[in-house]
Amino acid sequence: MKNSFFSDFKTVIIITVIIAITISCALIFKYLSRKKINSLVATKHIDPTSYLFATNFISAIIVIIGVSFALIQIPEMKTLGHSLLAGAGIISLVAGLASQQALSNIMSGFLIVLFKPFRINDRITFNQTYTGTVEEINLRQVVLRDFENNRIVVPNSVISSNVIVNTNLNDTKVCKMIEIGIGYDSDIGKALQIMEDEVVKHPLHIDNRSPQDIENGIPIVTARVIALADSSVTLKIWAYSDNISNGFTMYCDLLRSIKERFDKEGIEIPYSYQNVIIKDPN
């Protein structure tokens, strides 16, 4: 009995040491890998997606190997009764179903990294509902950071089977479309010219013309009349910026500057109003 106690205690100590070494190795490897990847991103501007995914994968392999070494230290339980067989079967079935989902996420993660529908730091819209910047792609999930600094966690198998809008896939440039309605009595030509002037002089606007367009004399921006509404003439202009963040800033600035120029130049922007008539009961 005494020898059995010491044997069991020794097994527990060995398992504890193996697990501690395994976790330490995985954490050290992950820390050093991320430090190196961040250095390469800062100095050589590499895409960190594949490297970060490989780091997570290798860390998981280290943990699996360590846990396997720990488990083989447990003596085989020869006295396992037939009464536990049914329970073991249920546990095996549950584990099998869980592993199928886990493997699906892992394989989907590999496909995401291989075909790159999106990468780390890309801004994507998922399922026409969630928009955010890709912060992490690991073996199980994709983590997005939205405008309010919330984290959206999506399993790899789910996000890989849905439609994704990626604003940074091949070109980070963004086109912001500005529509403004003016009164029918306003000078349409002057209003179009004001919109073009305000876009061209904005510091975040970029010239999206090709060399051939420039050679053919295509203007840097063009504003057009796109609709004759019930109470206004709708004007529209297309303004380009180098990324979505600058594009949003430019869009907000242009709404203000165009409105101020319209007020200064006497261009009316119609708005809805009501006349209230109070009848004298006498």
Side-chain angles (χ1 to χ4, degrees), residues 32-70:
L32 294 176
S33 297
R34 285 181 176 271
K35 187 175 181 181
K36 181 64 175 177
I37 292 169
N38 291 336
S39 175
L40 291 175
V41 170
T43 56
K44 298 186 178 180
H45 307 288
I46 65 167
D47 176 20
T49 305
S50 301
Y51 296 95
L52 290 174
F53 187 85
T55 296
N56 292 327
F57 180 74
I58 295 173
S59 299
I61 294 297
I62 293 174
V63 172
I64 292 172
I65 293 174
V67 171
S68 299
F69 273 110

mmCIF file of all heavy atoms in Angstrom, residues 32-70:
data_model
loop_
_atom_site.group_PDB
_atom_site.id
_atom_site.type_symbol
_atom_site.label_atom_id
_atom_site.label_comp_id
_atom_site.label_asym_id
_atom_site.label_seq_id
_atom_site.Cartn_x
_atom_site.Cartn_y
_atom_site.Cartn_z
ATOM 1 N N LEU A 32 7.840 35.041 -27.916
ATOM 2 C CA LEU A 32 8.985 35.348 -28.774
ATOM 3 C C LEU A 32 8.560 35.476 -30.239
ATOM 4 O O LEU A 32 9.061 36.344 -30.962
ATOM 5 C CB LEU A 32 10.061 34.268 -28.617
ATOM 6 C CG LEU A 32 10.729 34.181 -27.238
ATOM 7 C CD1 LEU A 32 11.709 33.010 -27.197
ATOM 8 C CD2 LEU A 32 11.443 35.487 -26.899
ATOM 9 N N SER A 33 7.628 34.615 -30.666
ATOM 10 C CA SER A 33 7.161 34.664 -32.055
ATOM 11 C C SER A 33 6.432 35.966 -32.349
ATOM 12 O O SER A 33 6.676 36.618 -33.367
ATOM 13 C CB SER A 33 6.247 33.478 -32.344
ATOM 14 O OG SER A 33 6.941 32.258 -32.211
ATOM 15 N N ARG A 34 5.535 36.357 -31.453
ATOM 16 C CA ARG A 34 4.793 37.605 -31.653
ATOM 17 C C ARG A 34 5.724 38.811 -31.639
ATOM 18 O O ARG A 34 5.541 39.770 -32.399
ATOM 19 C CB ARG A 34 3.712 37.753 -30.581
ATOM 20 C CG ARG A 34 2.503 36.853 -30.807
ATOM 21 C CD ARG A 34 1.448 37.061 -29.738
ATOM 22 N NE ARG A 34 0.258 36.276 -30.017
ATOM 23 C CZ ARG A 34 -0.764 36.684 -30.751
ATOM 24 N NH1 ARG A 34 -0.736 37.892 -31.292
ATOM 25 N NH2 ARG A 34 -1.811 35.913 -30.959
ATOM 26 N N LYS A 35 6.739 38.767 -30.772
ATOM 27 C CA LYS A 35 7.704 39.866 -30.712
ATOM 28 C C LYS A 35 8.457 39.972 -32.034
ATOM 29 O O LYS A 35 8.668 41.073 -32.564
ATOM 30 C CB LYS A 35 8.678 39.625 -29.556
ATOM 31 C CG LYS A 35 9.629 40.784 -29.298
ATOM 32 C CD LYS A 35 10.484 40.520 -28.063
ATOM 33 C CE LYS A 35 11.427 41.692 -27.801
ATOM 34 N NZ LYS A 35 12.283 41.448 -26.608
ATOM 35 N N LYS A 36 8.866 38.836 -32.594
ATOM 36 C CA LYS A 36 9.584 38.836 -33.872
ATOM 37 C C LYS A 36 8.679 39.288 -35.011
ATOM 38 O O LYS A 36 9.098 40.065 -35.888
ATOM 39 C CB LYS A 36 10.121 37.425 -34.159
ATOM 40 C CG LYS A 36 10.901 37.317 -35.454
ATOM 41 C CD LYS A 36 12.173 38.154 -35.436
ATOM 42 C CE LYS A 36 12.996 37.950 -36.682
ATOM 43 N NZ LYS A 36 14.196 38.815 -36.714
ATOM 44 N N ILE A 37 7.430 38.820 -34.995
ATOM 45 C CA ILE A 37 6.485 39.194 -36.055
ATOM 46 C C ILE A 37 6.215 40.691 -36.014
ATOM 47 O O ILE A 37 6.194 41.365 -37.053
ATOM 48 C CB ILE A 37 5.178 38.392 -35.908
ATOM 49 C CG1 ILE A 37 5.427 36.914 -36.212
ATOM 50 C CG2 ILE A 37 4.103 38.939 -36.844
ATOM 51 C CD1 ILE A 37 4.274 36.016 -35.836
ATOM 52 N N ASN A 38 5.990 41.236 -34.824
ATOM 53 C CA ASN A 38 5.751 42.680 -34.692
ATOM 54 C C ASN A 38 6.952 43.484 -35.193
ATOM 55 O O ASN A 38 6.793 44.547 -35.808
ATOM 56 C CB ASN A 38 5.462 43.034 -33.240
ATOM 57 C CG ASN A 38 4.120 42.498 -32.780
ATOM 58 O OD1 ASN A 38 3.230 42.263 -33.585
ATOM 59 N ND2 ASN A 38 3.971 42.299 -31.474
ATOM 60 N N SER A 39 8.156 42.961 -34.949
ATOM 61 C CA SER A 39 9.360 43.631 -35.433
ATOM 62 C C SER A 39 9.423 43.622 -36.959
ATOM 63 O O SER A 39 9.757 44.636 -37.585
ATOM 64 C CB SER A 39 10.603 42.950 -34.855
ATOM 65 O OG SER A 39 11.783 43.502 -35.394
ATOM 66 N N LEU A 40 9.067 42.484 -37.570
ATOM 67 C CA LEU A 40 9.078 42.389 -39.037
ATOM 68 C C LEU A 40 8.008 43.277 -39.656
ATOM 69 O O LEU A 40 8.222 43.870 -40.713
ATOM 70 C CB LEU A 40 8.871 40.928 -39.458
ATOM 71 C CG LEU A 40 10.010 39.962 -39.144
ATOM 72 C CD1 LEU A 40 9.621 38.530 -39.492
ATOM 73 C CD2 LEU A 40 11.279 40.353 -39.917
ATOM 74 N N VAL A 41 6.849 43.351 -38.994
ATOM 75 C CA VAL A 41 5.776 44.220 -39.505
ATOM 76 C C VAL A 41 6.217 45.674 -39.486
ATOM 77 O O VAL A 41 5.967 46.439 -40.419
ATOM 78 C CB VAL A 41 4.489 44.022 -38.672
ATOM 79 C CG1 VAL A 41 3.455 45.084 -39.037
ATOM 80 C CG2 VAL A 41 3.915 42.640 -38.897
ATOM 81 N N ALA A 42 6.898 46.073 -38.405
ATOM 82 C CA ALA A 42 7.318 47.469 -38.262
ATOM 83 C C ALA A 42 8.459 47.832 -39.205
ATOM 84 O O ALA A 42 8.507 48.948 -39.731
ATOM 85 C CB ALA A 42 7.743 47.734 -36.815
ATOM 86 N N THR A 43 9.373 46.878 -39.462
ATOM 87 C CA THR A 43 10.563 47.197 -40.266
ATOM 88 C C THR A 43 10.411 46.855 -41.742
ATOM 89 O O THR A 43 10.850 47.603 -42.604
ATOM 90 C CB THR A 43 11.794 46.465 -39.706
ATOM 91 O OG1 THR A 43 11.536 45.049 -39.666
ATOM 92 C CG2 THR A 43 12.113 46.951 -38.296
ATOM 93 N N LYS A 44 9.766 45.717 -42.037
ATOM 94 C CA LYS A 44 9.667 45.253 -43.427
ATOM 95 C C LYS A 44 8.245 45.276 -43.965
ATOM 96 O O LYS A 44 8.020 44.898 -45.116
ATOM 97 C CB LYS A 44 10.240 43.845 -43.542
ATOM 98 C CG LYS A 44 11.718 43.775 -43.185
ATOM 99 C CD LYS A 44 12.282 42.386 -43.453
ATOM 100 C CE LYS A 44 13.783 42.338 -43.130
ATOM 101 N NZ LYS A 44 14.357 40.987 -43.397
ATOM 102 N N HIS A 45 7.281 45.676 -43.121
ATOM 103 C CA HIS A 45 5.882 45.825 -43.536
ATOM 104 C C HIS A 45 5.317 44.531 -44.129
ATOM 105 O O HIS A 45 4.620 44.561 -45.145
ATOM 106 C CB HIS A 45 5.737 46.980 -44.537
ATOM 107 C CG HIS A 45 6.317 48.264 -44.047
ATOM 108 N ND1 HIS A 45 5.736 49.018 -43.047
ATOM 109 C CD2 HIS A 45 7.464 48.925 -44.393
ATOM 110 C CE1 HIS A 45 6.471 50.093 -42.816
ATOM 111 N NE2 HIS A 45 7.528 50.060 -43.598
ATOM 112 N N ILE A 46 5.622 43.402 -43.498
ATOM 113 C CA ILE A 46 5.089 42.130 -43.971
ATOM 114 C C ILE A 46 3.639 41.974 -43.530
ATOM 115 O O ILE A 46 3.173 42.653 -42.615
ATOM 116 C CB ILE A 46 5.923 40.945 -43.445
ATOM 117 C CG1 ILE A 46 5.789 40.870 -41.909
ATOM 118 C CG2 ILE A 46 7.375 41.043 -43.851
ATOM 119 C CD1 ILE A 46 6.297 39.570 -41.327
ATOM 120 N N ASP A 47 2.927 41.061 -44.199
ATOM 121 C CA ASP A 47 1.567 40.721 -43.788
ATOM 122 C C ASP A 47 1.663 39.711 -42.638
ATOM 123 O O ASP A 47 2.173 38.604 -42.828
ATOM 124 C CB ASP A 47 0.804 40.122 -44.965
ATOM 125 C CG ASP A 47 -0.585 39.648 -44.573
ATOM 126 O OD1 ASP A 47 -1.096 40.112 -43.538
ATOM 127 O OD2 ASP A 47 -1.152 38.803 -45.295
ATOM 128 N N PRO A 48 1.175 40.058 -41.434
ATOM 129 C CA PRO A 48 1.372 39.170 -40.282
ATOM 130 C C PRO A 48 0.395 38.007 -40.191
ATOM 131 O O PRO A 48 0.524 37.153 -39.316
ATOM 132 C CB PRO A 48 1.176 40.121 -39.092
ATOM 133 C CG PRO A 48 0.183 41.116 -39.595
ATOM 134 C CD PRO A 48 0.509 41.304 -41.068
ATOM 135 N N THR A 49 -0.598 37.940 -41.098
ATOM 136 C CA THR A 49 -1.675 36.962 -40.957
ATOM 137 C C THR A 49 -1.160 35.532 -40.871
ATOM 138 O O THR A 49 -1.460 34.794 -39.931
ATOM 139 C CB THR A 49 -2.656 37.092 -42.133
ATOM 140 O OG1 THR A 49 -3.128 38.437 -42.224
ATOM 141 C CG2 THR A 49 -3.842 36.166 -41.928
ATOM 142 N N SER A 50 -0.375 35.096 -41.870
ATOM 143 C CA SER A 50 0.107 33.714 -41.913
ATOM 144 C C SER A 50 1.020 33.412 -40.739
ATOM 145 O O SER A 50 0.952 32.323 -40.146
ATOM 146 C CB SER A 50 0.854 33.464 -43.235
ATOM 147 O OG SER A 50 0.020 33.709 -44.341
ATOM 148 N N TYR A 51 1.864 34.361 -40.371
ATOM 149 C CA TYR A 51 2.815 34.136 -39.278
ATOM 150 C C TYR A 51 2.097 33.982 -37.940
ATOM 151 O O TYR A 51 2.447 33.121 -37.128
ATOM 152 C CB TYR A 51 3.815 35.296 -39.213
ATOM 153 C CG TYR A 51 4.682 35.411 -40.442
ATOM 154 C CD1 TYR A 51 4.330 36.273 -41.479
ATOM 155 C CD2 TYR A 51 5.837 34.646 -40.587
ATOM 156 C CE1 TYR A 51 5.120 36.384 -42.617
ATOM 157 C CE2 TYR A 51 6.627 34.753 -41.715
ATOM 158 C CZ TYR A 51 6.264 35.619 -42.728
ATOM 159 O OH TYR A 51 7.042 35.718 -43.848
ATOM 160 N N LEU A 52 1.085 34.824 -37.700
ATOM 161 C CA LEU A 52 0.347 34.730 -36.442
ATOM 162 C C LEU A 52 -0.448 33.430 -36.363
ATOM 163 O O LEU A 52 -0.544 32.798 -35.305
ATOM 164 C CB LEU A 52 -0.588 35.935 -36.295
ATOM 165 C CG LEU A 52 0.100 37.273 -36.046
ATOM 166 C CD1 LEU A 52 -0.912 38.417 -36.062
ATOM 167 C CD2 LEU A 52 0.844 37.267 -34.712
ATOM 168 N N PHE A 53 -1.036 33.027 -37.488
ATOM 169 C CA PHE A 53 -1.788 31.772 -37.505
ATOM 170 C C PHE A 53 -0.851 30.597 -37.250
ATOM 171 O O PHE A 53 -1.176 29.680 -36.491
ATOM 172 C CB PHE A 53 -2.506 31.595 -38.845
ATOM 173 C CG PHE A 53 -3.430 30.404 -38.884
ATOM 174 C CD1 PHE A 53 -4.726 30.509 -38.414
ATOM 175 C CD2 PHE A 53 -3.003 29.180 -39.387
ATOM 176 C CE1 PHE A 53 -5.584 29.419 -38.442
ATOM 177 C CE2 PHE A 53 -3.849 28.089 -39.414
ATOM 178 C CZ PHE A 53 -5.153 28.212 -38.941
ATOM 179 N N ALA A 54 0.335 30.609 -37.881
ATOM 180 C CA ALA A 54 1.312 29.539 -37.666
ATOM 181 C C ALA A 54 1.777 29.495 -36.211
ATOM 182 O O ALA A 54 1.967 28.420 -35.633
ATOM 183 C CB ALA A 54 2.513 29.736 -38.589
ATOM 184 N N THR A 55 1.920 30.677 -35.596
ATOM 185 C CA THR A 55 2.301 30.732 -34.182
ATOM 186 C C THR A 55 1.252 30.064 -33.312
ATOM 187 O O THR A 55 1.572 29.262 -32.423
ATOM 188 C CB THR A 55 2.491 32.201 -33.750
ATOM 189 O OG1 THR A 55 3.572 32.770 -34.482
ATOM 190 C CG2 THR A 55 2.790 32.293 -32.264
ATOM 191 N N ASN A 56 -0.016 30.376 -33.560
ATOM 192 C CA ASN A 56 -1.093 29.756 -32.785
ATOM 193 C C ASN A 56 -1.143 28.247 -33.013
ATOM 194 O O ASN A 56 -1.368 27.466 -32.086
ATOM 195 C CB ASN A 56 -2.441 30.375 -33.158
ATOM 196 C CG ASN A 56 -2.570 31.818 -32.711
ATOM 197 O OD1 ASN A 56 -2.024 32.198 -31.684
ATOM 198 N ND2 ASN A 56 -3.267 32.628 -33.479
ATOM 199 N N PHE A 57 -0.915 27.823 -34.257
ATOM 200 C CA PHE A 57 -0.965 26.398 -34.587
ATOM 201 C C PHE A 57 0.164 25.638 -33.893
ATOM 202 O O PHE A 57 -0.053 24.582 -33.282
ATOM 203 C CB PHE A 57 -0.874 26.219 -36.107
ATOM 204 C CG PHE A 57 -0.926 24.778 -36.546
ATOM 205 C CD1 PHE A 57 -2.117 24.081 -36.512
ATOM 206 C CD2 PHE A 57 0.220 24.124 -36.979
ATOM 207 C CE1 PHE A 57 -2.166 22.758 -36.906
ATOM 208 C CE2 PHE A 57 0.174 22.809 -37.371
ATOM 209 C CZ PHE A 57 -1.025 22.118 -37.338
ATOM 210 N N ILE A 58 1.389 26.164 -33.963
ATOM 211 C CA ILE A 58 2.531 25.495 -33.333
ATOM 212 C C ILE A 58 2.374 25.471 -31.813
ATOM 213 O O ILE A 58 2.711 24.476 -31.160
ATOM 214 C CB ILE A 58 3.845 26.181 -33.751
ATOM 215 C CG1 ILE A 58 4.069 26.008 -35.258
ATOM 216 C CG2 ILE A 58 5.035 25.599 -32.982
ATOM 217 C CD1 ILE A 58 5.253 26.786 -35.792
ATOM 218 N N SER A 59 1.842 26.553 -31.244
ATOM 219 C CA SER A 59 1.597 26.578 -29.799
ATOM 220 C C SER A 59 0.609 25.482 -29.399
ATOM 221 O O SER A 59 0.790 24.805 -28.373
ATOM 222 C CB SER A 59 1.054 27.948 -29.372
ATOM 223 O OG SER A 59 1.980 28.970 -29.652
ATOM 224 N N ALA A 60 -0.429 25.298 -30.222
ATOM 225 C CA ALA A 60 -1.406 24.237 -29.938
ATOM 226 C C ALA A 60 -0.753 22.861 -30.036
ATOM 227 O O ALA A 60 -1.042 21.967 -29.231
ATOM 228 C CB ALA A 60 -2.583 24.339 -30.904
ATOM 229 N N ILE A 61 0.126 22.675 -31.034
ATOM 230 C CA ILE A 61 0.824 21.390 -31.178
ATOM 231 C C ILE A 61 1.697 21.118 -29.954
ATOM 232 O O ILE A 61 1.752 19.980 -29.443
ATOM 233 C CB ILE A 61 1.689 21.384 -32.461
ATOM 234 C CG1 ILE A 61 0.796 21.459 -33.700
ATOM 235 C CG2 ILE A 61 2.579 20.159 -32.510
ATOM 236 C CD1 ILE A 61 -0.124 20.279 -33.872
ATOM 237 N N ILE A 62 2.382 22.136 -29.456
ATOM 238 C CA ILE A 62 3.212 21.967 -28.257
ATOM 239 C C ILE A 62 2.361 21.512 -27.076
ATOM 240 O O ILE A 62 2.737 20.597 -26.328
ATOM 241 C CB ILE A 62 3.945 23.284 -27.925
ATOM 242 C CG1 ILE A 62 4.981 23.606 -29.007
ATOM 243 C CG2 ILE A 62 4.624 23.205 -26.556
ATOM 244 C CD1 ILE A 62 5.642 24.958 -28.843
ATOM 245 N N VAL A 63 1.203 22.130 -26.907
ATOM 246 C CA VAL A 63 0.316 21.758 -25.802
ATOM 247 C C VAL A 63 -0.189 20.327 -25.970
ATOM 248 O O VAL A 63 -0.222 19.544 -25.003
ATOM 249 C CB VAL A 63 -0.860 22.755 -25.708
ATOM 250 C CG1 VAL A 63 -1.893 22.274 -24.693
ATOM 251 C CG2 VAL A 63 -0.367 24.136 -25.331
ATOM 252 N N ILE A 64 -0.578 19.968 -27.190
ATOM 253 C CA ILE A 64 -1.084 18.614 -27.435
ATOM 254 C C ILE A 64 -0.018 17.573 -27.142
ATOM 255 O O ILE A 64 -0.282 16.535 -26.498
ATOM 256 C CB ILE A 64 -1.586 18.499 -28.885
ATOM 257 C CG1 ILE A 64 -2.846 19.352 -29.083
ATOM 258 C CG2 ILE A 64 -1.876 17.042 -29.239
ATOM 259 C CD1 ILE A 64 -3.305 19.456 -30.519
ATOM 260 N N ILE A 65 1.215 17.824 -27.590
ATOM 261 C CA ILE A 65 2.308 16.876 -27.336
ATOM 262 C C ILE A 65 2.575 16.758 -25.838
ATOM 263 O O ILE A 65 2.754 15.657 -25.296
ATOM 264 C CB ILE A 65 3.584 17.322 -28.089
ATOM 265 C CG1 ILE A 65 3.373 17.197 -29.601
ATOM 266 C CG2 ILE A 65 4.784 16.482 -27.645
ATOM 267 C CD1 ILE A 65 4.520 17.738 -30.419
ATOM 268 N N GLY A 66 2.600 17.893 -25.147
ATOM 269 C CA GLY A 66 2.844 17.863 -23.707
ATOM 270 C C GLY A 66 1.770 17.114 -22.951
ATOM 271 O O GLY A 66 2.062 16.305 -22.059
ATOM 272 N N VAL A 67 0.501 17.378 -23.294
ATOM 273 C CA VAL A 67 -0.607 16.677 -22.636
ATOM 274 C C VAL A 67 -0.538 15.183 -22.926
ATOM 275 O O VAL A 67 -0.823 14.345 -22.045
ATOM 276 C CB VAL A 67 -1.949 17.277 -23.089
ATOM 277 C CG1 VAL A 67 -3.117 16.431 -22.590
ATOM 278 C CG2 VAL A 67 -2.093 18.704 -22.583
ATOM 279 N N SER A 68 -0.143 14.818 -24.139
ATOM 280 C CA SER A 68 -0.008 13.402 -24.492
ATOM 281 C C SER A 68 1.057 12.723 -23.634
ATOM 282 O O SER A 68 0.855 11.611 -23.121
ATOM 283 C CB SER A 68 0.347 13.259 -25.975
ATOM 284 O OG SER A 68 -0.664 13.816 -26.781
ATOM 285 N N PHE A 69 2.193 13.377 -23.465
ATOM 286 C CA PHE A 69 3.241 12.829 -22.602
ATOM 287 C C PHE A 69 2.754 12.696 -21.162
ATOM 288 O O PHE A 69 3.114 11.748 -20.450
ATOM 289 C CB PHE A 69 4.485 13.712 -22.644
ATOM 290 C CG PHE A 69 5.426 13.369 -23.762
ATOM 291 C CD1 PHE A 69 5.592 14.228 -24.832
ATOM 292 C CD2 PHE A 69 6.144 12.187 -23.746
ATOM 293 C CE1 PHE A 69 6.444 13.921 -25.872
ATOM 294 C CE2 PHE A 69 7.011 11.865 -24.776
ATOM 295 C CZ PHE A 69 7.160 12.733 -25.851
ATOM 296 N N ALA A 70 1.938 13.664 -20.721
ATOM 297 C CA ALA A 70 1.417 13.583 -19.351
ATOM 298 C C ALA A 70 0.444 12.428 -19.188
ATOM 299 O O ALA A 70 0.468 11.714 -18.179
ATOM 300 C CB ALA A 70 0.731 14.910 -18.992
#
